[in-house]
Amino acid sequence: MNSATVRTLLVRGMLAGVVAGLFALVTASFLGEPHVDAAIAFEEAHAHSHEGGEEVVSRGMQATAGLATAVLVYGVAIGGIASLVFSYALGRTGRFGPRATAMLLSGAAFVCVYLVPFLKYPANPPSVGDPESLDKRTALYFLMVLLSVLLAVAATILGRRLAPRLGNWYATVTAVLGFAAAVGIAYAFLPSVSELPEHFPALLLWRFRVSTLAVQLVLWTAFGLTFAHLAERALRPRTARDGGVGEDAKDGEQREAEQGAAPSSTAPAAN
């Protein structure tokens, strides 16, 4: 794949990321923000002391412009990265076309980048928890993301190497089981972090975490569908156009040959 095609896919991936970010923004606004407000209200109601500092960014700004900026920037970033991965993976992961490759990549990214780390270190509502453990929790979360991605790459390589001996189906099953086993070992050895207040409502916590999961699911699904369509249009028309030019060239050469041969065959008859 040449650099011009990669650049085209990069632009379309970022555009798909914007579209996915808009869908995720709507989902977060309707599902996530009410639970964030409830968590903040709980924290304020049970706080024993309040600092008298002025609020730097208002809650209204955080829930509107702040949320939109964060989600859209995140969408553009993951769109650009995913498009580069797509450019490398296309044709190397089996006989999948652009649309199927984009959807498989989107699903794998959702599982590896978000779902696997989320199951070990689920999201907590803002302003709830111990601020002193924030750095530790953040470091552990990104460590889990890194491990998940590396294990997924290793599982893909394992599946490709086993395919000639076991067949595609059994090689894929073996690779997936190996990935799940390795993730389970990582879960067992990495420390857990619990920083919620003792009497925090379990239902509110559950709804908040489900809403964050829904936002990510909408984000990656929208990105996969949008980028699959854009990548298909970027790659397929050119292939068809190249083929069409070749056929037209052949037809033209044949017509020229026929037209050139006609005078030579009729010339003697005229004499």
Side-chain angles (χ1 to χ4, degrees):
M1 188 176 292
N2 57 45
S3 59
T5 304
V6 174
R7 184 166 56 250
T8 300
L9 291 173
L10 175 62
V11 173
R12 299 198 175 201
M14 296 172 70
L15 178 61
V18 172
V19 175
L22 291 174
F23 279 97
L25 177 61
V26 173
T27 306
S29 299
F30 283 96
L31 292 182
E33 287 304 307
H35 304 314
V36 173
D37 292 335
I40 293 176
F42 175 86
E43 192 269 343
E44 291 177 349
H46 292 78
H48 297 288
S49 62
H50 299 273
E51 297 181 359
E54 184 179 355
E55 192 176 26
V56 178
V57 181
S58 66
R59 172 61 189 147
M61 183 65 69
Q62 294 175 9
T64 53
L67 177 64
T69 302
V71 172
L72 292 178
V73 169
Y74 179 73
V76 172
I78 63 105
I81 296 173
S83 66
L84 296 178
V85 177
F86 170 87
S87 301
Y88 176 80
L90 184 63
R92 291 184 171 90
T93 56
R95 296 181 179 180
F96 298 107
R99 282 183 294 189
T101 302
M103 291 304 301
L104 288 173
L105 175 63
S106 180
F110 169 72
V111 172
C112 299
V113 176
Y114 186 78
L115 183 60
V116 169
F118 173 85
L119 294 177
K120 177 62 178 178
Y121 301 108
N124 288 332
S127 77
V128 174
D130 185 6
E132 296 181 358
S133 65
L134 179 61
D135 292 339
K136 177 183 177 181
R137 181 182 176 86
T138 302
L140 288 173
Y141 179 83
F142 282 108
L143 175 61
M144 193 66 239
V145 172
L146 178 61
L147 286 175
S148 177
V149 172
L150 293 178
L151 291 174
V153 173
T156 303
I157 296 174
L158 176 64
R160 291 187 62 186
R161 291 186 176 181
L162 292 178
R165 287 183 292 174
L166 301 180
N168 291 333
W169 171 256
Y170 289 105
T172 302
V173 171
T174 302
V176 171
L177 292 177
F179 173 77
V183 168
I185 294 173
Y187 281 0
F189 279 92
L190 288 176
S192 300
V193 179
S194 179
E195 54 184 16
L196 290 172
E198 182 179 357
H199 301 291
F200 191 84
L203 182 59
L204 175 58
L205 178 62
W206 168 257
R207 288 176 175 173
F208 173 80
R209 289 177 174 175
V210 169
S211 66
T212 59
L213 185 63
V215 170
Q216 290 290 328
L217 180 60
V218 168
L219 176 75
W220 285 106
T221 301
F223 172 78
L225 293 172
T226 306
F227 184 65
H229 173 73
L230 295 178
E232 181 82 8
R233 293 195 60 180
L235 297 175
R236 286 295 174 84
R238 186 172 42 139
T239 304
R241 186 167 59 248
D242 293 342
V245 170
E247 293 174 359
D248 292 342
K250 286 183 178 179
D251 294 340
E253 291 176 358
Q254 185 175 0
R255 286 194 298 270
E256 290 176 1
E258 291 174 354
Q259 292 173 359
S264 61
S265 60
T266 56
N271 294 328

